[in-house]
């Protein structure tokens, strides 16, 4: 019997929709983008499309192939999960950046919003999930108040094995495990996700005898959710990772068309690129579903770290990028929408809506004698949140604030795979339009190197001297 994601009719029923009417001058007025502007960009679009194809063919975009080449890895992950899930009550991810944001987003999207509060039986026999994505000492210490080391499996995720935040957490936990359980038993409590050959964690995993999964060499952290970085934590919580990959593959096919107005990733990138040229340097992503709340966090890293660059490919100083802002509908109608409606027209608002929520919640017919409340009686929260989304979209349209809407028929693994992959391809395409390298992060590396130098890491003497000679703070400007 075929799985649902293998059925063409079901796939089509789950297809995402990108509505960009409210980006166009014909709808939003002078702040919008005209079809003529897109037509005038055609030569640049074709150049970007060619670059995307060539880089994919030459191994410069290995993440594009992840929907197709993970079958054996999926089997390995699922087999591993089945072999260990009964032995552990808790699964803790040690990771930061893409190693944390993706797993959090997927868990929130697919599983019960209070997953960790459910009994193990109601969780389907799968462990709780915690993600340690910061080195605030209180966070990790507090974790030990609620978990039992004897029943916890730790997933150390770092491709380089030199991520100070992750490796310092691992060093602390390794010592705790060995002190309590002994060296041999503690091996069963650690699983590593890292490079196949390089980096510090690979030889550690091999020497210690830890189970490990591989991050493909050509896939960077923020593009790694469809590798074991994201697939293992998802599977460990009972999520169908095969269906996530199928959704990504489906979106990949949609993104192969050379018809610009039918290619969701290309059009998303083109509209934002043209908006940036008009000074719209803020990208607001606003899901109208709590399940999609942390997609905004994942998107923020992807969009900011990929497109925020000082130099173009010819080493010219360009200082480009678009600042991502996370919002949640309907919550942030009461905190941010005032700014979006009446503030500067320097934003692109991206609504993410859902046609069918996982449940229906009726509003009882009471307080009919109070007109300002009675009108809600007999309706549903489903209708209310969808109506508020439409009303907010209209308010922004009326104010001249450019916006577009991505709609998921429902939130499931297949549609989640689609939206993750859509944003990844759009990011790569936007990088080509901007003529930058969307796959490095030199600004991040500068901060890392400064940290290494201040801690006395060997090989960073020159950076340490530079830091020692930085201007002293003036007490006049400290209150």
């Amino acid at each position: 019997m075929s799985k649902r994601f293998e059925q063409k009719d079901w796939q089509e029923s789950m297809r995402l929709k990108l509505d960009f009417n409210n980006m166009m001058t014909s709808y939003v007025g002078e702040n919008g983008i005209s079809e003529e502007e897109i037509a005038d960009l055609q030569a640049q679009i074709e150049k970007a499309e060619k670059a995307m194809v060539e880089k994919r063919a030459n191994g410069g975009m290995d993440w594009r192939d992840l929907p197709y080449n993970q079958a054996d890895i999926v089997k390995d992950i699922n087999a591993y999960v089945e072999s260990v899930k009964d032995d552990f009550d808790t699964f803790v991810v040690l990771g930061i950046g893409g190693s944390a944001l993706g797993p959090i987003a997927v868990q929130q999207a697919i599983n019960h919003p209070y997953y960790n509060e459910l009994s193990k039986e109601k969780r389907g026999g799968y462990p709780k999930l915690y993600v340690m994505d910061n080195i605030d000492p209180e966070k990790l210490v507090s974790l030990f108040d609620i978990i039992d080391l004897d029943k916890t499996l730790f997933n150390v995720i770092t491709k380089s094995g030199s991520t100070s935040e992750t490796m310092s957490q691992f060093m602390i936990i390794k010592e705790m495990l060995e002190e309590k359980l002994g060296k041999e038993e503690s091996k069963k409590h650690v699983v590593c996700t890292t490079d196949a050959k390089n980096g510090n964690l690979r030889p550690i995993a091999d020497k210690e005898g830890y189970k490990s999964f591989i991050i493909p060499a050509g896939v960077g952290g923020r593009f790694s959710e469809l590798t074991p970085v994201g697939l293992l934590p998802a599977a460990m919580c009972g999520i169908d990772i095969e269906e996530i990959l199928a959704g990504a593959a489906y979106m990949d096919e949609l993104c192969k068309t050379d018809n610009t107005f039918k290619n969701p990733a290309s059009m998303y990138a083109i509209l934002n690129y043209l908006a940036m040229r008009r000074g719209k340097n803020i990208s607001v992503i606003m899901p109208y579903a709590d399940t999609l709340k942390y997609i905004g966090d994942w998107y923020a890293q992807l969009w900011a770290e990929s497109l925020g660059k000082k130099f173009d490919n010819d080493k010219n100083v360009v200082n480009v990028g678009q600042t991502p802002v996370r919002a949640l509908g309907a919550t942030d109608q009461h905190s941010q929408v005032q700014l979006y409606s009446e503030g500067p027209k320097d934003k692109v608002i991206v609504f993410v809506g859902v046609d069918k929520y996982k449940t229906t919640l009726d509003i009882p017919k009471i307080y009919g004698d109070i007109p300002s409340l009675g009108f809600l009686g007999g309706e549903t929260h489903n209708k209310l949140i969808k109506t508020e989304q439409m009303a907010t979209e209209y308010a922004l349209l009326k104010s001249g604030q450019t916006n577009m809407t991505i709609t998921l028929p429902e939130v499931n693994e297949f549609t989640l795979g689609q939206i993750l992959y859509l944003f990844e391809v759009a990011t790569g395409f936007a990088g080509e339009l901007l003529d930058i390298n969307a796959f490095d992060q030199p600004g991040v590396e500068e901060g890392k190197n400064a940290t290494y130098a201040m801690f006395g890491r060997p090989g960073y003497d020159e950076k340490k001297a530079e830091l020692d000679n930085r201007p002293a703070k003036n007490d006049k400007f400290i209150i």
Side-chain angles (χ1 to χ4, degrees):
M1 182 177 177
S2 64
K3 299 175 181 178
R4 65 179 186 176
F5 60 81
E6 297 172 329
Q7 300 167 14
K8 295 295 184 183
D9 289 347
W10 187 83
Q11 290 179 357
E12 287 300 311
S13 72
M14 290 294 120
R15 180 174 177 168
L16 300 197
K17 181 172 63 179
L18 172 65
D19 178 354
F20 54 94
N21 277 281
N22 293 347
M23 292 293 297
M24 308 303 290
T25 53
S26 52
Y27 278 80
V28 77
E30 63 181 8
N31 292 314
I33 294 163
S34 68
E35 292 186 54
E36 290 73 23
E37 285 179 87
I38 297 174
D40 290 343
L41 199 66
Q42 194 58 40
Q44 200 170 337
I45 292 170
E46 291 175 2
K47 180 182 177 182
E49 289 172 343
K50 183 179 179 181
M52 292 282 284
V53 171
E54 289 178 351
K55 287 181 179 180
R56 183 172 189 172
N58 296 327
M61 290 187 177
D62 288 355
W63 52 271
R64 294 291 306 265
D65 298 324
L66 293 174
Y68 308 102
N69 62 14
Q70 302 285 290
D72 290 341
I73 293 167
V74 166
K75 289 178 183 177
D76 188 14
I77 288 173
N78 284 335
Y80 174 71
V81 169
E82 283 302 311
S83 72
V84 301
K85 69 182 179 70
D86 293 337
D87 298 329
F88 298 103
D89 292 334
T90 310
F91 185 75
V92 176
V93 168
L94 306 180
I96 198 166
S99 300
L101 296 170
I104 292 170
V106 170
Q107 168 74 348
Q108 176 76 10
I110 302 301
N111 277 333
H112 193 288
Y114 305 107
Y115 174 86
N116 282 352
E117 306 306 314
L118 299 175
S119 66
K120 192 165 186 178
E121 181 182 7
K122 287 187 176 180
R123 296 195 307 269
Y126 294 96
K128 298 177 182 180
L129 173 69
Y130 294 99
V131 179
M132 295 293 103
D133 61 343
N134 204 358
I135 47 171
D136 177 340
E138 294 179 18
K139 184 169 185 176
L140 190 58
V141 169
S142 298
L143 176 69
F144 301 132
D145 291 334
I146 61 170
I147 67 170
D148 180 356
L149 280 178
D150 298 60
K151 301 289 287 181
T152 300
L153 177 60
F154 294 92
N155 182 201
V156 189
I157 308 177
T158 165
K159 187 177 180 182
S160 68
S162 60
T163 308
S164 297
E165 299 89 348
T166 302
M167 292 305 289
S168 63
Q169 290 176 327
F170 164 65
M171 291 160 72
I172 293 165
I173 287 163
K174 178 181 187 293
E175 185 174 79
M176 292 178 67
L177 286 170
E178 291 182 358
E179 286 180 356
K180 183 171 185 181
L181 305 176
K183 191 171 181 65
E184 195 62 34
E185 180 64 23
S186 67
K187 293 178 182 180
K188 303 174 186 177
H189 291 253
V190 177
V191 55
C192 300
T193 308
T194 190
D195 192 89
K197 299 178 181 179
N198 301 315
N200 295 326
L201 188 54
R202 170 50 55 197
I204 290 173
D206 293 344
K207 179 182 177 181
E208 300 290 349
Y210 297 142
K211 170 69 176 176
S212 65
F213 292 93
I214 294 170
I215 305 172
V219 179
R222 57 188 178 272
F223 290 87
S224 67
E225 179 55 24
L226 300 181
T227 74
V229 168
L231 299 180
L232 176 59
M236 195 63 72
C237 296
I239 293 169
D240 189 340
I241 57 177
E242 193 177 2
E243 185 167 297
I244 292 176
L245 292 168
Y250 180 78
M251 178 54 65
D252 184 51
E253 291 302 314
L254 297 181
C255 295
K256 287 179 180 178
T257 179
D258 56 6
N259 183 337
T260 301
F261 280 84
K262 295 295 183 182
N263 188 319
S266 295
M267 185 52 66
Y268 187 90
I270 290 164
L271 293 169
N272 277 286
Y273 171 72
L274 289 171
M276 280 186 261
R277 292 208 313 192
R278 288 167 166 248
K280 296 179 183 292
N281 290 323
I282 298 174
S283 171
V284 179
I285 182 165
M286 191 170 185
Y288 269 75
D290 273 42
T291 51
L292 299 174
K293 178 179 180 180
Y294 291 103
I295 290 292
D297 291 62
W298 172 84
Y299 170 83
Q301 183 203 8
L302 178 72
W303 200 248
E305 202 167 71
S306 299
L307 303 184
K309 298 293 160 66
K310 180 178 181 178
F311 299 105
D312 67 12
N313 289 324
D314 293 322
K315 305 303 180 184
N316 299 306
V317 176
V318 289
N319 295 120
V320 297
Q322 202 176 35
T323 302
V325 174
R326 288 96 72 180
L328 179 67
T331 301
D332 287 313
Q333 290 173 196
H334 299 271
S335 65
Q336 298 180 32
V337 167
Q338 170 63 35
L339 171 67
Y340 302 158
S341 181
E342 295 190 354
K345 301 298 183 282
D346 58 354
K347 304 168 189 70
V348 174
I349 317 293
V350 182
F351 296 107
V352 184
V354 178
D355 281 336
K356 182 182 178 182
Y357 291 84
K358 296 176 183 179
T359 189
T360 299
L361 184 59
D362 295 318
I363 304 171
K365 287 188 176 182
I366 57 176
Y367 298 124
D369 57 328
I370 305 176
S372 59
L373 295 178
F375 77 97
L376 294 169
E379 301 291 354
T380 66
H381 266 186
N382 307 57
K383 181 179 178 180
L384 181 59
I385 194 168
K386 290 170 72 173
T387 302
E388 291 195 15
Q389 178 190 334
M390 184 189 69
T392 304
E393 176 191 329
Y394 173 73
L396 296 186
L397 170 66
K398 189 175 179 181
S399 73
Q401 189 72 273
T402 48
N403 64 88
M404 58 179 122
T405 301
I406 298 171
T407 304
L408 286 66
E410 61 184 55
V411 178
N412 57 40
E413 288 94 335
F414 190 78
T415 58
L416 185 63
Q418 286 185 68
I419 195 168
L420 293 173
Y421 196 80
L422 165 64
F423 282 140
E424 288 182 350
V425 179
T427 300
F429 198 87
E432 295 302 328
L433 292 173
L434 290 164
D435 193 27
I436 58 162
N437 183 352
F439 307 107
D440 66 358
Q441 50 280 331
V444 177
E445 298 305 321
E446 178 64 27
K448 286 183 180 179
N449 292 337
T451 299
Y452 299 153
M454 287 187 282
F455 265 76
R457 176 174 166 176
Y460 289 82
D461 295 342
E462 188 176 332
K463 179 60 67 174
K464 179 64 165 60
E466 176 189 323
L467 287 160
D468 289 344
N469 289 320
R470 69 189 185 276
K473 295 289 182 74
N474 189 333
D475 290 341
K476 178 181 178 180
F477 305 126
I478 301 175
I479 298 174

